[in-house]
Amino acid sequence: MTVDIYEPEAELFLGPLDLVGFDPESPFRLEALSTDGGTSWGNAGAIDVEMRSFLQHGSLVVTEGWENRVLTLAVSVTEDPGLAEAMLLSQLHKPNTVTYKPRTSPVRTVFQALTSTLVPVDDDLLENFDAEVIYQIKLTCRPFARGDDLITVEALAAGEGGQITATIEDITTGSTGWTGLAYKTSGGMVLSTDVDVLADGVEIAATLADAEITFFFTKTYPAVDTTELHYLAVEWRYNTTDKNSPTIKLRDPDDPAPVEFSAVASMVSPDDAGFIRSFYDISGLDQFTVFEFSGALGGASPTARMAVGNLALTNYFGTGSPRQQLRRLDLHGTMPTTGSLEIHHPTQGLGETLFYSCRGDSGGYNPACRSYLQPRTDPSVLDPTAVSGYYDPLMNSEPSYFYIPNAALPTGDYTILASMSLEGGTVTLNGSASAWMYDAPIGEPETFADALVVNSTDGQYRLIELGDIHFPVIKASDGSLSRTSVTISVTSSDFDAVFKFDDIFLLNLSTGQFTLLNCGTGEPVAGGPSNRMWIDSPDIGNSGQPEIWRGSAVERSDAVGAWIYAEAVDIHEFDPQYDVTTFLITLGPDTAPAVRFHYYPAFWYRAYPVEP
Amino acid sequence: MSASIQVLVDGVWLTSFLSWGDLSYSRSWPLGCKEASWSITSRYGAHPTLLRPGAKVELRRGCRRVWAGTLQEPDWNGKDAQLTAKGPSGEGDGYQAFTNPAGSAASYNPYEAITAAIARGLDWKLTDSVPNYVLLNEPTDLYTVSGLLTATALVNSYRWGVDADRRVYYAMDKTANDYGPDYIVRPGVADLAVATDNYASHVVLRYEDVADNVVKTVSYPGLASAPTVYEKLYGRVEWAKSVVDLGPMATWTAFSIAAAIRNRSMSQPTWASGLSLLPGELLTRGGVPVDHARVRENQCVRVLGVHDPITHKRYIDFTIGNVSRNVDEKTLNIDPVDIAARTPEEVFTDLYEGEEL
């Protein structure tokens, strides 16, 4: 006696073999049985590992991964059991899929079987009198279920690809409503209350030798609705030593207490020369009227200036210039997934390409550091071919200092790369980092590059590995005004050398992975320079091996294995629980390439509808 | 999740053509990159020709090299194989120390000998740390490049190694400075057993003086000098050795050898075993958990909560002499320098004959 629990609308396939639909033409009949008959979806068993710890009660256990799922499908075979058995066996003992759609679900769930086998359930009576044989199909599957629609998501930054950016303030000459002041941080002596409205920002200038100056700007707007767009992008600039990234305060008209925010990410503004664009996560606030901005500068130079530029609301943080983009990949599903990551420029070879990814909850972490570069005696030079958009020439006596808030440096082991160009000579690089709390350096600087000699003759920007270091150099409590100061000095006795220092990139290898590949520059040609590259996750279809490819055709008809062009390869992770922060540098194209991820969303054991 | 370590064999990414795992590797002080091993499964059962003895092996994390060496004969078992690679320091055994690539005269200047060997094909990169002068007396024997480095290092209590970038470097044992050691182990995580057997308070050497060819005696510390803190703790043991076989030498050379043996044998509390650590158990001096891929030989580790009878501190600092890492099991084993060569005789043999410690 068997019970068919599946309604006609329900579907259950093993590969192409229909296990519930009844085909009147078929010489045999296959019917899946209910859980009473032995069917089980199995479960992804967590691999928990006990760690040594100082816990006083109990032990520390962490989940390190998941075991394969074992799925059992019980089927009843009638009418021509021999033929049915042959049909079943043609689908077993190899990678296959089980596709399941309950009657009530609009989407199919797919289990990826690595292999499978058949276990007959002995029953003399059934077999002899009803010509019915019952089998259990045991399938060893990957731990998670997935949907059956391959979907594509694009990694985006604020304002890209249909993401929304709403301008709050577009400062031009004649902008009104701003007030502010500059005062000596210690004691509060007011130095200036003049807010100059310039063509690209509102600026306050103050003169005070050897003391810290706090700059404060404020403006009141008609109520700004922030329920939809959770990031506030603020552009600002300064001309002396920045004490730390500025903070903003917003005031909800219904709640007089202002709420303070620190930046979650900062980058050199791609649109407004000389400005830094900082993103503040203001989710939790529904609206605001009063905007306040305050930052502190070292007042050592004759006149310290700070300016606030344009303000906008966005639903994404991240930004970029033609050669580098900090973006976010919003993934669907509930469990870590795999797929194919594509980097694509419409017309130009990607050149040297660095793709870094890490969990999307890494605070204000941005591998690029130029927004933290302290102003130098000579202003940086605009250069659209530089990764950051600017360069500083060689200055033997003046190192470059980057002051990075520790909140923007997730704890871990970092590889430090630099982008620079050199023509006709040799330079020697030294790099070190030290910990600061407020104004005080702590401990000894850690050296990561010791007399590294670089020589090149072609004047092209290149990525150079400077060294490795643990950040933060010294642990500091969350929320403290701690920072890390990175010092890069470049010297040369070669007076003919034309040196351009672009930026440094801090890549956290404890929390992320990167792939570094040369795709060639210029017009894409099959077998030549490539305007596309793909990083494929290890997959069943490829014996569990990852792949990297470069080519130019969208359907990969001219893609070649790119391992020989790789300087670094890794297996990137895609977990929808945290989403993914992506950081891309391409030294080839003049405009930003797209980053896309093609994948099946993964679920614990039932797929649900997703909107790509 | 952390970035992975990838294996390259003769510049080819192993991941690109077969499945591999069980990676472990070790680095030692002296000698640097020591051994790496992993297992593979050939996809179709064929034995790839790439995996030949002598192929250059590199372990990389991101673009950073963490280990370098040369592949040994693969141990095939059907389509599975166990692969082992040896570090580049041993390659210096295959080159004799000459003043120039043509090999017309024996060299006792390590920098010069390495330069000449590199010109003949030794795959090392020189660094300025290698002494560019002669520290040895000139025996008549020809040294190998590795042997010359070891003998030179012995004389002034240095050591040498070849790092993951194949750079040969020459250094003193790294100790803590005013700001602390490189790494810290929290109290209670690890214990260090102090060994007091085979201890010698004085190393006495009999040598042939190069000035007058008379066999003389030198001792470190001086036999008549005031008792050292070690002697007070562990008693007096005078250990003697003849180095007449090494040929005539200056008094200061003999004294240096005595000092080197003394300093590297039972002159201070030493350890019967090393540390076995899991992720999160080793911290930087700044208190940040150390990523195991960053731990190298000749870094200084401070074990807190262990009493040092010499300094009376509640911690013991040691220099990493051997670090081995099992990547899949996430374990890290750290041994202090000279852990295996505790007796003066062993120190002498190992240092002088260039064997691995």
Side-chain angles (χ1 to χ4, degrees), chain A residues 52 64 411 413-415 444 446 465 468-470 472-473 475 509-510 513 545-546 563 567-568 570 573, chain B residues 1 3-4 13 15-16 18-19 43 60-64 177 179 276 281 285-288 291 294 330:
Chain A
R52 258 195 321 237
E64 281 210 324
T411 297
D413 170 28
Y414 284 71
T415 279
E444 184 188 38
E446 297 274 347
E465 185 187 3
D468 47 82
I469 192 167
H470 278 101
V473 173
K475 206 170 176 172
L509 296 188
S510 299
Q513 305 86 28
Q545 303 278 119
W563 295 91
E567 178 71 16
D570 215 325
E573 294 189 330
Chain B
M1 182 88 173
S4 66
W13 300 90
T15 301
S16 72
L18 47 75
S19 302
R43 205 182 291 181
R60 247 190 241 183
R61 185 161 193 249
C63 51
R64 177 200 311 165
N177 64 13
Y179 296 100
S276 183
E281 295 183 334
R285 67 172 167 223
V288 175
D291 202 303
R294 287 288 308 286
K330 300 189 171 73

Side-chain angles (χ1 to χ4, degrees), chain A residues 41-47 65-70 141-145 335 603-605:
Chain A
W41 301 111
N43 199 14
I47 302 172
W66 285 274
E67 282 167 351
N68 288 333
R69 168 190 302 269
V70 177
C141 300
R142 296 188 71 187
F144 310 127
M335 297 311 292
F603 302 89
W604 185 253
Y605 106 123

Side-chain angles (χ1 to χ4, degrees), chain B:
Chain B
M1 182 88 173
S2 174
S4 66
I5 289 191
Q6 296 289 328
V7 181
L8 286 105
V9 177
D10 272 346
V12 177
W13 300 90
L14 217 52
T15 301
S16 72
F17 73 102
L18 47 75
S19 302
W20 59 275
D22 309 326
L23 174 68
S24 58
Y25 63 90
S26 62
R27 297 178 58 153
S28 67
W29 184 240
L31 302 181
C33 297
K34 187 175 170 191
E35 191 174 293
S37 68
W38 65 95
S39 56
I40 64 164
T41 299
S42 176
R43 205 182 291 181
Y44 308 109
H47 299 179
T49 50
L50 182 76
L51 302 175
R52 60 174 177 86
K56 293 276 160 62
V57 172
E58 206 176 277
L59 304 188
R60 247 190 241 183
R61 185 161 193 249
C63 51
R64 177 200 311 165
R65 290 165 187 86
V66 295
W67 196 88
T70 306
L71 195 64
Q72 308 297 297
E73 177 70 35
D75 181 7
W76 284 101
N77 180 8
K79 60 181 181 177
D80 300 324
Q82 183 68 30
L83 294 173
T84 307
K86 294 277 184 216
S89 61
E91 292 170 31
D93 290 328
Y95 290 82
Q96 304 297 328
F98 291 120
T99 56
N100 56 49
S104 50
S107 173
Y108 303 98
N109 171 330
Y111 196 94
E112 174 187 73
I114 295 170
T115 305
I118 288 172
R120 299 201 303 281
L122 177 59
D123 190 9
W124 287 2
K125 294 182 184 74
L126 258 176
T127 61
D128 290 340
S129 65
V130 176
N132 193 3
Y133 39 80
V134 179
L135 278 168
L136 297 179
N137 286 288
E138 300 199 5
T140 49
D141 287 350
L142 193 57
Y143 281 89
T144 64
V145 169
S146 295
L148 176 61
L149 273 166
T150 301
T152 302
L154 166 68
V155 170
N156 61 346
S157 291
Y158 272 52
R159 300 180 208 249
W160 69 280
V162 183
D163 72 10
D165 290 315
R166 290 184 165 267
R167 289 179 302 212
V168 53
Y169 66 106
Y170 186 85
M172 284 189 286
D173 289 357
K174 183 93 181 282
T175 53
N177 64 13
D178 291 349
Y179 296 100
D182 294 309
Y183 302 127
I184 290 167
V185 179
R186 288 192 184 103
V189 169
D191 229 332
L192 283 173
V194 177
T196 54
D197 47 350
N198 301 313
Y199 151 78
S201 64
H202 295 75
V203 171
V204 180
L205 290 188
R206 299 279 288 160
Y207 69 101
E208 183 181 343
D209 195 321
V210 71
D212 50 15
N213 290 89
V214 172
V215 174
K216 296 180 179 171
T217 300
V218 68
S219 170
Y220 181 87
L223 291 172
S225 58
T228 63
V229 62
Y230 311 111
E231 187 180 338
K232 286 178 188 163
L233 265 172
Y234 303 120
R236 186 171 180 111
V237 179
E238 294 166 3
W239 176 84
K241 175 83 184 171
S242 168
V243 292
V244 174
D245 289 352
L246 296 184
M249 62 180 70
T251 307
W252 64 265
T253 307
F255 186 77
S256 300
I257 296 172
I261 294 170
R262 170 66 173 58
N263 289 337
R264 292 184 187 179
S265 57
M266 268 307 301
S267 63
Q268 49 192 301
T270 186
W271 302 277
S273 64
L275 309 178
S276 183
L277 300 170
L278 292 171
E281 295 183 334
L282 192 66
L283 305 177
T284 67
R285 67 172 167 223
V288 175
V290 169
D291 202 303
H292 286 181
R294 287 288 308 286
V295 183
R296 293 186 284 265
E297 72 281 5
N298 198 22
Q299 291 180 313
C300 182
V301 178
R302 175 165 296 173
V303 182
L304 298 174
V306 181
H307 179 241
D308 185 333
I310 301 299
T311 62
H312 300 297
K313 295 264 186 1
R314 288 295 297 166
Y315 59 78
I316 290 180
D317 286 350
F318 69 81
T319 305
I320 298 177
N322 191 69
V323 48
S324 59
R325 189 174 169 226
N326 185 316
V327 177
D328 291 350
E329 291 176 9
K330 300 189 171 73
T331 54
L332 182 77
N333 287 290
I334 301 177
D335 294 336
V337 286
D338 299 335
I339 184 172
R342 295 202 319 275
T343 71
E345 184 69 47
E346 283 167 350
V347 172
F348 175 78
T349 305
D350 291 346
L351 287 178
Y352 192 73
E353 294 175 5
E355 300 295 318
E356 282 180 14
L357 290 183

